[in-house]
């Protein structure tokens, strides 16, 4: 069983690295404190966080956007902003975000905006204003 847990944890850590660039500190803590729990979560996350080209039903931009909205609804600012940053690198627009956050307000009420949505929108506006470095074309 220990070997299975270790394999699942490694798969999960690799998935975090592939989709987020690293395993967030709070998940490293979970891995250290409750390895089997991390392994179970990691397997579920690895199954969900696959792009279409890798067998996922939805593209990663959409999945990250869904997590932005769900985390906002749950009041998890940190999670919503982390997913927002990845969604925007994958092409999420301010207009798409504003429309999605409006749906969150419709379901969860204005408190969802006050607790997390406004911060998410502010971060998106800041990200959209940052200059993008575009590498020169090959050739």
């Amino acid at each position: 069983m220990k070997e299975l847990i270790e394999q699942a944890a490694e798969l999960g850590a690799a998935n975090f690295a592939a989709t987020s660039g690293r395993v967030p500190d709070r998940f490293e803590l979970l891995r250290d404190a409750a390895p089997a729990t991390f392994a179970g979560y990691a397997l579920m996350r690895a199954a969900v966080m696959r792009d279409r080209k890798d067998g996922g039903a939805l593209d990663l931009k959409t999945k990250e956007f869904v997590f932005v909205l769900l985390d906002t609804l749950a009041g998890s600012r940190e999670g919503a902003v982390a997913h927002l940053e990845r969604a925007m690198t994958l092409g999420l627009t301010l207009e798409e975000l504003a429309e999605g956050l409006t749906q969150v307000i419709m379901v969860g009420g204005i408190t969802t905006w006050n607790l997390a949505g406004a911060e998410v929108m502010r971060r998106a506006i800041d990200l959209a204003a940052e200059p993008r470095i575009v590498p020169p074309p090959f050739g």
Side-chain angles (χ1 to χ4, degrees), residues 5 9 26-42:
I5 290 170
R26 63 187 172 278
F27 288 103
E28 285 288 0
L29 177 62
L30 181 61
R31 185 178 189 177
D32 293 342
T37 302
F38 175 81
Y41 177 80

Side-chain angles (χ1 to χ4, degrees), residues 5 10 20 26 35 38 53-54 78 83 92 96-97 109 111 113 116 130:
I5 290 170
E10 286 303 314
S20 304
R26 63 187 172 278
F38 175 81
K53 66 182 178 354
D54 299 320
E78 185 179 335
H83 286 290
L92 183 71
E96 290 168 332
L97 177 63
T111 301
W113 176 260
E130 288 180 6

Side-chain angles (χ1 to χ4, degrees), residues 44-64 66:
M44 183 173 52
R45 186 184 191 283
V48 169
M49 295 306 287
R50 294 176 298 150
D51 205 351
R52 266 198 186 122
K53 66 182 178 354
D54 299 320
L58 299 171
D59 61 273
L60 282 175
K61 173 190 150 188
T62 301
K63 291 175 185 188
E64 293 289 2
V66 168

Side-chain angles (χ1 to χ4, degrees), residues 71-137:
D71 279 348
T72 300
L73 185 62
S76 175
R77 289 186 305 268
E78 185 179 335
V81 168
H83 286 290
L84 168 74
E85 291 171 353
R86 289 190 294 277
M88 288 188 73
T89 64
L90 295 168
L92 183 71
T93 67
L94 292 175
E95 294 79 12
E96 290 168 332
L97 177 63
E99 192 170 293
L101 289 174
T102 299
Q103 289 178 277
V104 170
I105 292 169
M106 291 172 67
V107 171
I110 196 64
T111 301
T112 60
W113 176 260
N114 295 334
L115 292 176
E119 186 174 327
V120 169
M121 194 73 223
R122 278 190 204 101
R123 179 64 180 136
I125 291 167
D126 289 346
L127 286 171
E130 288 180 6
R132 302 268 190 243
I133 299 173
V134 179

